[in-house]
Tab-separated table of all heavy atoms in Angstrom:
chain	number	residue	atom	x	y	z
B	13	PRO	N	177.484	311.744	202.587
B	13	PRO	CA	178.443	310.778	202.025
B	13	PRO	C	178.495	309.508	202.872
B	13	PRO	O	178.622	308.397	202.371
B	13	PRO	CB	179.779	311.503	202.059
B	13	PRO	CG	179.511	312.886	202.449
B	13	PRO	CD	178.127	312.987	202.980
B	14	ARG	N	178.348	309.701	204.187
B	14	ARG	CA	178.376	308.541	205.050
B	14	ARG	C	177.100	307.695	204.846
B	14	ARG	O	177.143	306.477	204.905
B	14	ARG	CB	178.474	308.991	206.506
B	14	ARG	CG	178.694	307.826	207.417
B	14	ARG	CD	178.919	308.249	208.835
B	14	ARG	NE	180.248	308.775	209.012
B	14	ARG	CZ	180.740	309.132	210.213
B	14	ARG	NH1	179.972	309.027	211.267
B	14	ARG	NH2	181.953	309.592	210.335
B	15	ARG	N	175.988	308.374	204.604
B	15	ARG	CA	174.739	307.622	204.363
B	15	ARG	C	174.854	306.797	203.095
B	15	ARG	O	174.313	305.678	203.023
B	15	ARG	CB	173.541	308.563	204.303
B	15	ARG	CG	173.197	309.013	205.665
B	15	ARG	CD	171.762	309.332	205.998
B	15	ARG	NE	170.786	309.486	204.985
B	15	ARG	CZ	170.036	310.591	204.863
B	15	ARG	NH1	170.243	311.615	205.671
B	15	ARG	NH2	169.087	310.651	203.996
B	16	MET	N	175.562	307.356	202.101
B	16	MET	CA	175.811	306.579	200.867
B	16	MET	C	176.593	305.317	201.190
B	16	MET	O	176.286	304.259	200.702
B	16	MET	CB	176.601	307.432	199.856
B	16	MET	CG	175.769	308.401	199.035
B	16	MET	SD	174.438	307.569	198.165
B	16	MET	CE	175.401	306.743	196.877
B	17	VAL	N	177.617	305.478	202.030
B	17	VAL	CA	178.437	304.330	202.395
B	17	VAL	C	177.555	303.283	203.080
B	17	VAL	O	177.612	302.087	202.772
B	17	VAL	CB	179.606	304.741	203.319
B	17	VAL	CG1	180.338	303.513	203.841
B	17	VAL	CG2	180.565	305.644	202.565
B	18	HIS	N	176.703	303.741	204.035
B	18	HIS	CA	175.780	302.834	204.726
B	18	HIS	C	174.957	302.050	203.712
B	18	HIS	O	174.821	300.835	203.782
B	18	HIS	CB	174.826	303.587	205.656
B	18	HIS	CG	175.528	304.170	206.832
B	18	HIS	ND1	174.860	304.770	207.869
B	18	HIS	CD2	176.842	304.269	207.148
B	18	HIS	CE1	175.746	305.207	208.765
B	18	HIS	NE2	176.947	304.914	208.353
B	19	LEU	N	174.405	302.808	202.752
B	19	LEU	CA	173.504	302.224	201.781
B	19	LEU	C	174.250	301.179	200.942
B	19	LEU	O	173.732	300.073	200.717
B	19	LEU	CB	172.947	303.333	200.864
B	19	LEU	CG	171.684	302.922	200.123
B	19	LEU	CD1	170.539	302.756	201.100
B	19	LEU	CD2	171.328	303.993	199.078
B	20	ILE	N	175.455	301.518	200.519
B	20	ILE	CA	176.243	300.583	199.692
B	20	ILE	C	176.531	299.310	200.493
B	20	ILE	O	176.382	298.202	199.992
B	20	ILE	CB	177.553	301.256	199.238
B	20	ILE	CG1	177.236	302.341	198.199
B	20	ILE	CG2	178.515	300.223	198.621
B	20	ILE	CD1	178.413	303.256	197.892
B	21	LEU	N	176.909	299.457	201.771
B	21	LEU	CA	177.213	298.295	202.589
B	21	LEU	C	175.984	297.413	202.773
B	21	LEU	O	176.053	296.194	202.689
B	21	LEU	CB	177.773	298.742	203.966
B	21	LEU	CG	179.155	299.356	203.954
B	21	LEU	CD1	179.571	299.764	205.369
B	21	LEU	CD2	180.201	298.411	203.347
B	22	ILE	N	174.839	298.065	203.037
B	22	ILE	CA	173.607	297.299	203.233
B	22	ILE	C	173.270	296.515	201.951
B	22	ILE	O	172.971	295.317	202.000
B	22	ILE	CB	172.421	298.232	203.610
B	22	ILE	CG1	172.637	298.838	204.994
B	22	ILE	CG2	171.096	297.481	203.573
B	22	ILE	CD1	171.627	299.897	205.365
B	23	VAL	N	173.361	297.187	200.800
B	23	VAL	CA	173.024	296.537	199.546
B	23	VAL	C	173.977	295.383	199.295
B	23	VAL	O	173.548	294.284	198.904
B	23	VAL	CB	173.073	297.561	198.368
B	23	VAL	CG1	173.014	296.836	197.046
B	23	VAL	CG2	171.897	298.534	198.499
B	24	LEU	N	175.249	295.602	199.518
B	24	LEU	CA	176.231	294.514	199.332
B	24	LEU	C	175.897	293.297	200.186
B	24	LEU	O	175.883	292.148	199.701
B	24	LEU	CB	177.639	294.994	199.698
B	24	LEU	CG	178.488	295.650	198.627
B	24	LEU	CD1	179.814	296.142	199.209
B	24	LEU	CD2	178.737	294.679	197.479
B	25	ALA	N	175.614	293.530	201.483
B	25	ALA	CA	175.310	292.434	202.397
B	25	ALA	C	174.049	291.694	201.956
B	25	ALA	O	174.013	290.473	201.944
B	25	ALA	CB	175.169	292.959	203.814
B	26	LEU	N	173.027	292.469	201.572
B	26	LEU	CA	171.756	291.818	201.211
B	26	LEU	C	171.876	291.055	199.899
B	26	LEU	O	171.311	289.974	199.746
B	26	LEU	CB	170.624	292.870	201.122
B	26	LEU	CG	170.277	293.534	202.453
B	26	LEU	CD1	168.965	294.297	202.328
B	26	LEU	CD2	170.199	292.522	203.584
B	27	VAL	N	172.649	291.612	198.943
B	27	VAL	CA	172.861	290.893	197.682
B	27	VAL	C	173.566	289.578	197.960
B	27	VAL	O	173.181	288.520	197.451
B	27	VAL	CB	173.662	291.758	196.680
B	27	VAL	CG1	174.182	290.892	195.548
B	27	VAL	CG2	172.792	292.886	196.150
B	28	PHE	N	174.590	289.623	198.836
B	28	PHE	CA	175.301	288.381	199.169
B	28	PHE	C	174.370	287.365	199.818
B	28	PHE	O	174.312	286.212	199.409
B	28	PHE	CB	176.479	288.668	200.086
B	28	PHE	CG	177.135	287.409	200.564
B	28	PHE	CD1	178.005	286.720	199.776
B	28	PHE	CD2	176.817	286.872	201.823
B	28	PHE	CE1	178.572	285.532	200.192
B	28	PHE	CE2	177.359	285.694	202.252
B	28	PHE	CZ	178.240	285.015	201.439
B	29	LEU	N	173.603	287.822	200.835
B	29	LEU	CA	172.704	286.895	201.532
B	29	LEU	C	171.697	286.289	200.589
B	29	LEU	O	171.364	285.105	200.668
B	29	LEU	CB	171.999	287.614	202.704
B	29	LEU	CG	172.873	287.950	203.911
B	29	LEU	CD1	172.102	288.778	204.914
B	29	LEU	CD2	173.370	286.689	204.573
B	30	THR	N	171.215	287.112	199.669
B	30	THR	CA	170.214	286.639	198.722
B	30	THR	C	170.810	285.608	197.764
B	30	THR	O	170.273	284.514	197.595
B	30	THR	CB	169.615	287.804	197.929
B	30	THR	OG1	169.113	288.762	198.850
B	30	THR	CG2	168.497	287.328	197.022
B	31	LEU	N	171.946	285.951	197.142
B	31	LEU	CA	172.545	285.058	196.158
B	31	LEU	C	173.062	283.778	196.835
B	31	LEU	O	172.966	282.696	196.273
B	31	LEU	CB	173.697	285.742	195.446
B	31	LEU	CG	173.343	286.828	194.448
B	31	LEU	CD1	174.609	287.369	193.795
B	31	LEU	CD2	172.395	286.284	193.391
B	32	PHE	N	173.648	283.935	198.005
B	32	PHE	CA	174.355	282.835	198.596
B	32	PHE	C	173.524	281.927	199.479
B	32	PHE	O	173.791	280.738	199.587
B	32	PHE	CB	175.569	283.377	199.380
B	32	PHE	CG	176.688	282.392	199.449
B	32	PHE	CD1	177.427	282.100	198.317
B	32	PHE	CD2	177.018	281.784	200.634
B	32	PHE	CE1	178.450	281.181	198.369
B	32	PHE	CE2	178.046	280.873	200.686
B	32	PHE	CZ	178.773	280.569	199.552
B	33	LEU	N	172.514	282.494	200.142
B	33	LEU	CA	171.707	281.682	201.040
B	33	LEU	C	170.270	281.458	200.532
B	33	LEU	O	169.768	280.352	200.537
B	33	LEU	CB	171.627	282.331	202.437
B	33	LEU	CG	172.966	282.519	203.172
B	33	LEU	CD1	172.706	283.083	204.563
B	33	LEU	CD2	173.706	281.220	203.263
B	34	LEU	N	169.655	282.570	200.067
B	34	LEU	CA	168.255	282.458	199.663
B	34	LEU	C	168.088	281.668	198.386
B	34	LEU	O	167.161	280.857	198.254
B	34	LEU	CB	167.682	283.884	199.497
B	34	LEU	CG	166.265	284.109	199.980
B	34	LEU	CD1	166.048	283.535	201.362
B	34	LEU	CD2	165.936	285.600	199.993
B	35	LEU	N	169.020	281.892	197.432
B	35	LEU	CA	168.909	281.213	196.134
B	35	LEU	C	169.015	279.680	196.260
B	35	LEU	O	168.177	278.983	195.658
B	35	LEU	CB	169.995	281.751	195.193
B	35	LEU	CG	169.534	282.144	193.797
B	35	LEU	CD1	168.284	282.993	193.838
B	35	LEU	CD2	170.627	282.860	193.034
B	36	PRO	N	169.960	279.142	197.030
B	36	PRO	CA	169.987	277.664	197.193
B	36	PRO	C	168.684	277.142	197.779
B	36	PRO	O	168.161	276.103	197.374
B	36	PRO	CB	171.152	277.433	198.142
B	36	PRO	CG	172.038	278.589	197.968
B	36	PRO	CD	171.146	279.754	197.661
B	37	LEU	N	168.137	277.892	198.736
B	37	LEU	CA	166.876	277.475	199.356
B	37	LEU	C	165.760	277.459	198.340
B	37	LEU	O	164.983	276.507	198.269
B	37	LEU	CB	166.557	278.439	200.516
B	37	LEU	CG	165.387	278.053	201.416
B	37	LEU	CD1	165.684	276.787	202.170
B	37	LEU	CD2	165.086	279.189	202.387
B	38	ALA	N	165.695	278.536	197.533
B	38	ALA	CA	164.657	278.609	196.517
B	38	ALA	C	164.815	277.492	195.497
B	38	ALA	O	163.839	276.895	195.037
B	38	ALA	CB	164.696	279.986	195.812
B	39	THR	N	166.076	277.181	195.151
B	39	THR	CA	166.347	276.114	194.180
B	39	THR	C	165.689	274.814	194.608
B	39	THR	O	165.105	274.085	193.764
B	39	THR	CB	167.858	275.896	194.059
B	39	THR	OG1	168.458	277.121	193.660
B	39	THR	CG2	168.186	274.813	193.038
B	40	VAL	N	165.786	274.489	195.904
B	40	VAL	CA	165.240	273.218	196.380
B	40	VAL	C	163.762	273.116	196.016
B	40	VAL	O	163.302	272.109	195.471
B	40	VAL	CB	165.414	273.106	197.927
B	40	VAL	CG1	164.738	271.847	198.429
B	40	VAL	CG2	166.910	273.094	198.275
B	41	PHE	N	163.006	274.181	196.304
B	41	PHE	CA	161.554	274.106	196.073
B	41	PHE	C	161.207	274.194	194.574
B	41	PHE	O	160.305	273.490	194.115
B	41	PHE	CB	160.842	275.209	196.883
B	41	PHE	CG	160.936	274.971	198.355
B	41	PHE	CD1	161.864	275.663	199.116
B	41	PHE	CD2	160.143	274.024	198.965
B	41	PHE	CE1	161.966	275.435	200.477
B	41	PHE	CE2	160.230	273.788	200.330
B	41	PHE	CZ	161.166	274.492	201.090
B	42	VAL	N	161.931	275.037	193.839
B	42	VAL	CA	161.669	275.146	192.416
B	42	VAL	C	161.908	273.814	191.700
B	42	VAL	O	161.090	273.351	190.893
B	42	VAL	CB	162.529	276.251	191.785
B	42	VAL	CG1	162.455	276.207	190.260
B	42	VAL	CG2	162.086	277.608	192.287
B	43	GLU	N	163.038	273.158	192.048
B	43	GLU	CA	163.344	271.883	191.416
B	43	GLU	C	162.349	270.795	191.841
B	43	GLU	O	161.993	269.933	191.055
B	43	GLU	CB	164.768	271.438	191.777
B	43	GLU	CG	165.875	272.290	191.201
B	43	GLU	CD	165.920	272.225	189.683
B	43	GLU	OE1	165.698	271.147	189.116
B	43	GLU	OE2	166.185	273.262	189.045
B	44	ALA	N	161.898	270.843	193.075
B	44	ALA	CA	160.961	269.857	193.583
B	44	ALA	C	159.640	269.919	192.831
B	44	ALA	O	159.016	268.919	192.525
B	44	ALA	CB	160.739	270.021	195.082
B	45	PHE	N	159.225	271.182	192.491
B	45	PHE	CA	157.908	271.351	191.829
B	45	PHE	C	158.066	271.564	190.321
B	45	PHE	O	157.147	272.042	189.675
B	45	PHE	CB	157.164	272.528	192.466
B	45	PHE	CG	156.647	272.222	193.834
B	45	PHE	CD1	157.297	272.715	194.944
B	45	PHE	CD2	155.501	271.455	193.988
B	45	PHE	CE1	156.830	272.408	196.223
B	45	PHE	CE2	155.042	271.146	195.259
B	45	PHE	CZ	155.693	271.630	196.384
B	46	ARG	N	159.244	271.230	189.771
B	46	ARG	CA	159.528	271.482	188.356
B	46	ARG	C	158.464	270.878	187.449
B	46	ARG	O	158.077	271.444	186.465
B	46	ARG	CB	160.909	270.932	188.004
B	46	ARG	CG	161.332	271.158	186.573
B	46	ARG	CD	162.827	271.228	186.496
B	46	ARG	NE	163.338	272.463	187.076
B	46	ARG	CZ	163.819	273.484	186.391
B	46	ARG	NH1	163.865	273.425	185.093
B	46	ARG	NH2	164.270	274.557	187.005
Side-chain angles (χ1 to χ4, degrees):
Chain B
R14 188 175 285 185
R15 285 211 347 235
M16 278 304 287
V17 173
H18 291 187
L19 199 67
I20 290 168
L21 291 179
I22 292 172
V23 168
L24 271 177
L26 294 193
V27 165
F28 173 80
L29 288 174
T30 305
L31 288 182
F32 207 69
L33 299 184
L34 220 46
L35 228 48
L37 188 65
T39 301
V40 175
F41 292 101
V42 169
E43 292 295 323
F45 288 103
R46 182 152 289 254

